[in-house]
Amino acid sequence: MGSVSHRRIEWHPGQPLQAVCLTGGHPAPSAGCACGIHASPDRRQLLDHGLCLVPGLPLVLGRVAVWGAVVRDDHGWRGQYAYPVELSLVEGTAGDDGTDRLLALLARYGVPVDTVPLAEAVGDVSAAILTFQAMSSRNPPS
Ligand SMILES: [Zn+2]
């Protein structure tokens, strides 16, 4: 499972993710930097901030635990370590027959897994855009 904000960062089942600073060369998180594993206090704040969506890729939301060094800022927390405590596959993002396969993959993290409606996960505007993009990719203009 890859990060929505840093596509090359992978969350591996059974392994805490450890933060590194990609720009400052110091231990992460640092109070004077933006590094660390970001966690928001609630889903509404994520919707207001705008999730990074890639049409055609499954989207998973998660509640995470962050620990080690933790910095509190205006948007939530930035942690040194993180691991999911709950995962939700966003309905309609797994493709026509991918939901069961993805739920089985998410179960490897050993935490509760469920699904969440698209509009609840990404907000109404983003959901409409994703739905339109999905329809367009199935029926490309000729
Ligand atoms: Zn940093």
Side-chain angles (χ1 to χ4, degrees):
M1 178 169 65
S3 165
V4 291
S5 57
H6 295 285
R7 304 248 173 252
R8 289 176 295 185
I9 295 175
E10 293 280 329
W11 291 69
H12 297 285
Q15 297 176 19
L17 182 64
Q18 182 174 3
V20 294
C21 182
L22 299 174
T23 58
H26 49 246
S30 175
C33 195
C35 56
I37 302 160
H38 292 238
S40 295
D42 59 53
R43 191 175 288 173
R44 171 52 52 190
Q45 188 166 327
L46 281 177
L47 297 183
D48 293 345
H49 181 67
L51 289 169
C52 305
L53 301 173
V54 178
L57 287 182
L59 180 64
V60 175
L61 296 182
R63 284 193 322 118
V64 297
V66 292
W67 70 92
V70 176
V71 173
R72 171 93 189 175
D73 64 20
D74 292 343
H75 306 291
W77 300 274
R78 293 183 286 118
Q80 179 181 7
Y81 299 99
Y83 194 79
V85 296
E86 184 179 275
L87 294 168
S88 299
L89 176 63
V90 179
E91 295 171 1
T93 66
D96 292 336
D97 59 354
T99 298
D100 289 343
R101 185 178 56 82
L102 282 168
L103 289 174
L105 287 173
L106 292 176
R108 294 173 56 203
Y109 288 85
V111 300
V113 172
D114 65 4
T115 61
V116 61
L118 181 63
E120 185 180 321
V122 300
D124 293 336
V125 172
S126 294
I129 291 169
L130 284 176
T131 300
F132 175 76
Q133 288 172 329
M135 288 183 339
S136 297
S137 66
R138 284 188 203 117
N139 304 300
S142 52

